[in-house]
Amino acid sequence: MSDNQGLDASCATARVRDRYDRMASAELDGGGSFEFLNRAKEYFRARKLTTALSMASFPAGAKLLEIGCSVGQFTFPLAKLGYQICGMDLSPNSVEVAKQRAAAHGVTGATFVAGEAESLNLFADGIFDGVVSFSTLRYVGRLPRALSEIHRVLKPGGRAVIDVPNRWCPWFYLKPWLGSERHPHDHWYTSTDVKALLLRAGFRDVRVRYLLFTPTVTPDRLLTLFQGVDWIGERLPLVRNVAGIIMVSATKP
């Protein structure tokens, strides 16, 4: 990688960090933008979590790393399921809010640290049974480097589960026309892209699931309809290939 590419990636990382630091600074124990939950967002998160766990089959009490924990939206449910989980986020403010929320709600089994996906130097080799990452690696400039680091910190036989936006989903192309702001340094992928990157990083037994046609902005009155679309669309060949999310699991040999 050239010096210019490295500088561009560092600048992009700083932009993403600043964005989430600003958002987290307004957060106060569920009163901010992260935790404004409509029914569609609750459903969206629940589908991601249950799908990830079904693809990973983590053993009871497994030691997990969550990359991109934000303020604990997925970390807390995983801790409540009995996993020993370390949530890591690029944004120090998000980490601080997550710690405050964990203390306020008596969440045990979860710790939080600030760090970058591309440099997991806080962690020794082979110390985690599993790694999860939701809606995070899409913003990483050097995804191959991040996947290599995930591979490094996993134990042999450990499993990683990540999700990325599906490049073939029409929703992502419609959002700008509907007034949605494009997130800085966002990347969309095909399943072929992600599988190739994971294999190159040393992973094996790569599995792919397409899920979710339901946007998080879906009005409550339409949610049941969209849930039906998910149920049908995810089971139809070709149709499922334009679902919003690609979730991928892979094992370190």
Side-chain angles (χ1 to χ4, degrees):
M1 182 175 63
S2 70
D3 290 343
N4 285 340
Q5 287 175 315
L7 182 60
D8 288 345
S10 296
C11 290
T13 298
R15 289 180 63 201
V16 175
R17 180 190 297 111
D18 290 347
R19 174 189 176 96
Y20 286 99
D21 267 346
R22 289 194 303 272
M23 292 173 68
S25 67
E27 183 77 18
L28 181 61
D29 196 27
S33 60
F34 285 106
E35 289 307 295
F36 176 74
L37 288 178
N38 58 9
R39 289 179 57 212
K41 189 180 286 187
E42 288 180 327
Y43 163 71
F44 190 89
R45 288 184 186 174
R47 282 295 315 283
K48 280 193 173 188
L49 185 61
T50 56
T51 302
L53 291 176
S54 70
M55 294 179 75
S57 300
F58 297 129
K63 184 177 181 180
L64 306 181
L65 172 65
E66 181 190 5
I67 296 176
C69 66
S70 184
V71 298
Q73 298 97 320
F74 291 98
T75 325
F76 297 155
L78 287 164
K80 290 176 180 177
L81 289 171
Y83 298 112
Q84 300 298 308
I85 183 162
C86 177
M88 188 195 78
D89 199 90
L90 180 65
S91 159
N93 285 358
S94 296
V95 168
E96 185 57 34
V97 172
K99 289 178 179 178
Q100 292 176 8
R101 294 184 68 228
H105 294 288
V107 176
T108 59
T111 58
F112 298 92
V113 297
E116 296 187 23
E118 297 170 30
S119 181
L120 301 178
N121 51 15
L122 295 171
F123 310 111
D125 296 356
I127 63 168
F128 291 106
D129 300 301
V131 175
V132 295
S133 186
F134 303 100
S135 300
T136 294
L137 296 181
R138 62 190 288 182
Y139 307 127
V140 171
R142 293 165 288 190
L143 184 54
R145 183 169 174 174
L147 294 177
S148 293
E149 280 289 271
I150 291 171
H151 185 274
R152 179 183 65 79
V153 301
L154 275 171
K155 297 176 182 177
R159 198 152 184 89
V161 186
I162 66 173
D163 71 43
V164 294
N166 180 9
R167 185 182 296 170
W168 303 128
C169 176
W171 171 245
F172 298 116
Y173 300 93
L174 289 172
K175 285 174 70 176
W177 293 94
L178 298 174
S180 178
E181 176 192 3
R182 179 73 185 264
H183 192 293
H185 208 58
D186 199 1
H187 299 83
W188 307 335
Y189 295 92
T190 68
S191 60
T192 302
D193 295 335
V194 183
K195 287 173 70 174
L197 288 168
L198 284 161
L199 290 169
R200 201 173 303 141
F203 287 94
R204 296 295 179 266
D205 187 24
V206 180
R207 304 175 191 177
V208 174
R209 286 276 302 274
Y210 293 90
L211 69 153
L212 290 165
F213 293 86
T214 302
T216 58
V217 296
T218 301
D220 288 356
R221 67 182 182 278
L222 297 179
L223 181 57
T224 301
L225 172 63
F226 271 89
Q227 288 172 325
V229 171
D230 284 343
W231 194 92
I232 295 169
E234 291 169 16
R235 288 163 174 78
L236 292 177
L238 299 182
V239 174
R240 67 180 169 224
N241 291 351
V242 296
I245 302 298
I246 298 172
M247 188 164 283
V248 188
S249 67
T251 300
K252 176 177 179 176

